[in-house]
Amino acid sequence: MAGPSYLQSIGTESTGHKDTLKDHIVDKLIENVLSVSLPSSTAVQSNDVLNNTIEKPAIPSDEPDFSLSILASNLRKLNARTGLLLILPATISHILSWHQPTLTLSMLMLYSYICFYPFLLSALPALLVLVGVLIPGYDYRHPSSQNLLPARFYKHNSVIEAETERLEIQEMIEVQLKRQKAENEKVLVERLRDLQNRLGRLVEAFDKLEHFVNHVGSFKDERRASATYLFLMMLIFSTTYFASFVPPHLAILSLGWIIVVYSHPVIKVKVQKFLKNYFEQESVVVTAIKSLEKTEVIIDFEPEEREVELFELQRVGLTPRQWVPWLYTPIIYEPQSPLRKRHARPPGTRFLEDAQPPIGWFFKEDEPWVLDTKTKGWVSQRGIRFVELDLENSWAYDYKDDERGEWRRRRWVRKCYSYGCS
């Protein structure tokens, strides 16, 4: 990853001007984004599935190759054009917050009218452009005569009075500009705070979704996954049956009214207080799934159990007594290994905690990796030659011509389980 100085030199050569503070901040942001944008180890299997199932579109030949300077320039341009993206959520929040009750009720009436006459949705895009863009733009460009204040004329008796009045007007303008600047800074801080909180909630939602997919969806917890499957099947049949008796426009209308009325500050506080006093913190869905898990789900077979192994490879450092950690790999990487002969790097991970089980299998959190202290057993079982054993520390060194070689390795094992193979 290139450092900030490299990004700064690119911007200097491309524009010929000194980078501003804003450009420097954007460059550092790009560097941090690129440094953390690599997929995590928990998403490796999902990425493999996507790469195998989704056809990648062909890259047009007329598009430029990857360049940090182009990426930084596009992000700066995008940042300068995101005003409309801030206006839309701010407008929706203003309507739902009941700060202007007449506006909220007017939007509810319009929403109700559209629910009963859905064909009006065809005119909604054109109406939004007229009301939200063209009409305000025309009023701003051609203000009505009522908005124009009459000019004030003064007869000054002396030059001193005229100069005094000019200074007073200038002072009023400076005070107003300072007040406007303070208000703008306050609004900016509030918007950044809202953006921070929304991003936090979005990250939390993604974490919950990832936990559901990786734990419940993959049947790591067999009981919870089976209870969730049973609950969703019951929910599908019950909702489709009862929904056939409810007109769609009434259901959509009721949902919209419930959301808007619940957003009222007074009603929201009362509803939350009522739920806190008379209902448990745990949601009804989770309670129902746990009830099904206890009463209806019976797991009458044990998962298949196997043992996986990884070899910790270390390379000799500057001195024969110094060893540098290299990676954890399922390859022994002994002198007769084909990868070793080709001087190729074996597949693996740098940290033991990042190692994942095979597809369709899972690890138990209470069963960590264990060091295999029987080094002589796995070495003789595989018929490995030209090694020296350190039975005290479980290492197997390369050994040739009465000297230790460049590599040493030791074996780690862990149990993995699978329900699908039973």
Side-chain angles (χ1 to χ4, degrees):
M1 180 60 61
S5 60
Y6 177 69
L7 293 175
Q8 188 174 1
S9 65
I10 292 177
T12 304
E13 295 175 0
S14 61
T15 61
H17 300 285
K18 186 177 180 179
D19 288 340
T20 61
L21 178 60
K22 179 180 178 181
D23 295 341
H24 182 64
I25 293 176
V26 172
D27 291 339
K28 290 181 70 64
L29 176 62
I30 294 171
E31 181 185 4
N32 293 332
V33 169
L34 291 177
S35 64
V36 301
S37 61
L38 295 176
S40 60
S41 58
T42 57
V44 172
Q45 298 178 3
S46 301
N47 290 337
D48 293 339
V49 174
L50 289 176
N51 292 332
N52 293 331
T53 56
I54 299 179
E55 183 179 357
K56 297 181 180 179
I59 300 177
S61 58
D62 56 345
E63 291 189 356
D65 295 332
F66 174 74
S67 172
L68 287 178
S69 60
I70 297 177
L71 179 60
S73 175
N74 291 339
L75 283 178
R76 283 194 290 266
K77 293 177 182 178
L78 180 62
N79 180 53
R81 292 163 174 79
T82 54
L84 293 177
L85 298 179
L86 297 176
I87 293 175
L88 180 60
T91 304
I92 297 176
S93 300
H94 179 69
I95 294 174
L96 294 179
S97 62
W98 290 81
H99 287 307
Q100 192 175 352
T102 54
L103 176 63
T104 304
L105 291 175
S106 299
M107 291 296 103
L108 270 179
M109 293 299 103
L110 179 62
Y111 173 79
S112 303
Y113 201 73
I114 292 177
C115 288
F116 285 101
Y117 303 98
F119 63 88
L120 295 177
L121 286 173
S122 60
L124 188 60
L127 181 64
L128 290 176
V129 174
L130 286 176
V131 177
V133 179
L134 295 179
I135 295 178
Y138 183 85
D139 289 339
Y140 178 78
R141 182 62 61 181
H142 304 283
S144 61
S145 59
Q146 297 178 356
N147 296 331
L148 297 178
L149 298 177
R152 300 176 60 184
F153 296 93
Y154 298 94
K155 293 181 179 180
H156 304 289
N157 296 327
S158 64
V159 179
I160 297 178
E161 292 181 359
E163 183 66 19
T164 303
E165 184 175 353
R166 187 185 67 82
L167 293 176
E168 291 178 354
I169 294 175
Q170 184 176 359
E171 184 179 355
M172 291 175 57
I173 293 175
E174 291 178 356
V175 172
Q176 185 176 3
L177 290 177
K178 290 181 180 179
R179 185 182 302 123
Q180 185 66 31
K181 182 179 179 181
E183 291 179 357
N184 291 340
E185 292 178 353
K186 182 179 179 181
V187 170
L188 177 61
V189 172
E190 291 178 353
R191 287 185 177 180
L192 290 177
R193 181 195 62 191
D194 294 339
L195 177 62
Q196 164 195 297
N197 297 334
R198 286 178 183 143
L199 289 177
R201 290 192 292 267
L202 182 62
V203 171
E204 184 179 355
F206 273 111
D207 289 341
K208 292 182 179 179
L209 178 61
E210 183 180 5
H211 181 270
F212 175 80
V213 173
N214 292 334
H215 291 78
V216 180
S218 61
F219 276 76
K220 288 185 178 180
D221 189 345
E222 186 78 9
R223 290 183 177 273
R224 180 61 55 85
S226 301
T228 303
Y229 178 85
L230 181 60
F231 173 80
L232 291 178
M233 291 296 295
M234 295 171 59
L235 183 64
I236 290 173
F237 287 110
S238 60
T239 52
T240 52
Y241 176 76
F242 290 106
S244 62
F245 298 99
V246 180
H249 58 275
L250 287 179
I252 300 174
L253 176 67
S254 302
L255 179 62
W257 272 84
I258 290 173
I259 293 175
V260 177
V261 172
Y262 175 75
S263 301
H264 193 280
V266 179
I267 298 178
K268 187 175 183 178
V269 172
K270 292 184 178 180
V271 171
Q272 290 179 349
K273 185 177 180 180
F274 174 79
L275 294 176
K276 184 177 180 180
N277 293 335
Y278 295 96
F279 291 92
E280 298 180 356
Q281 296 293 332
E282 198 173 65
S283 64
V284 179
V285 175
V286 176
T287 304
I289 292 177
K290 287 185 176 181
S291 177
L292 289 174
E293 182 181 347
K294 294 179 180 179
T295 59
E296 302 295 334
V297 178
I298 300 176
I299 305 299
D300 54 357
F301 60 90
E302 292 295 329
E304 183 178 353
E305 175 184 333
R306 290 187 183 179
E307 188 177 74
V308 293
E309 63 178 8
L310 284 178
F311 293 93
E312 179 184 1
L313 286 182
Q314 291 189 358
R315 196 171 189 174
V316 70
L318 298 177
T319 63
R321 294 181 177 272
Q322 180 185 5
W323 292 90
V324 180
W326 203 45
L327 82 164
Y328 292 86
T329 174
I331 307 299
I332 302 179
Y333 212 62
E334 79 280 4
Q336 302 300 324
S337 172
L339 292 175
R340 175 84 170 268
K341 293 180 179 179
R342 297 199 307 266
H343 302 284
R345 182 185 179 91
T349 179
R350 186 175 180 182
F351 301 102
L352 186 61
E353 295 77 10
D354 296 335
Q356 298 297 313
I359 299 177
W361 297 74
F362 63 92
F363 291 138
K364 291 185 178 180
E365 296 181 358
D366 57 346
E367 295 181 358
W369 290 93
V370 179
L371 178 63
D372 186 1
T373 57
K374 300 179 181 180
T375 309
K376 187 176 182 180
W378 63 263
V379 168
S380 60
Q381 183 180 2
R382 289 168 171 80
I384 302 176
R385 302 170 59 192
F386 308 112
V387 293
E388 178 188 2
L389 302 183
D390 180 3
L391 301 180
E392 181 179 357
N393 298 310
S394 305
W395 288 105
Y397 293 83
D398 289 348
Y399 191 77
K400 191 175 182 181
D401 298 332
D402 297 331
E403 291 184 357
R404 285 183 176 178
E406 183 182 5
W407 300 94
R408 70 175 183 177
R409 80 266 315 140
R410 58 182 176 181
R411 183 172 180 262
W412 294 82
V413 295
R414 187 176 184 180
K415 293 181 180 179
C416 62
Y417 302 88
S418 174
Y419 284 102
C421 300
S422 299

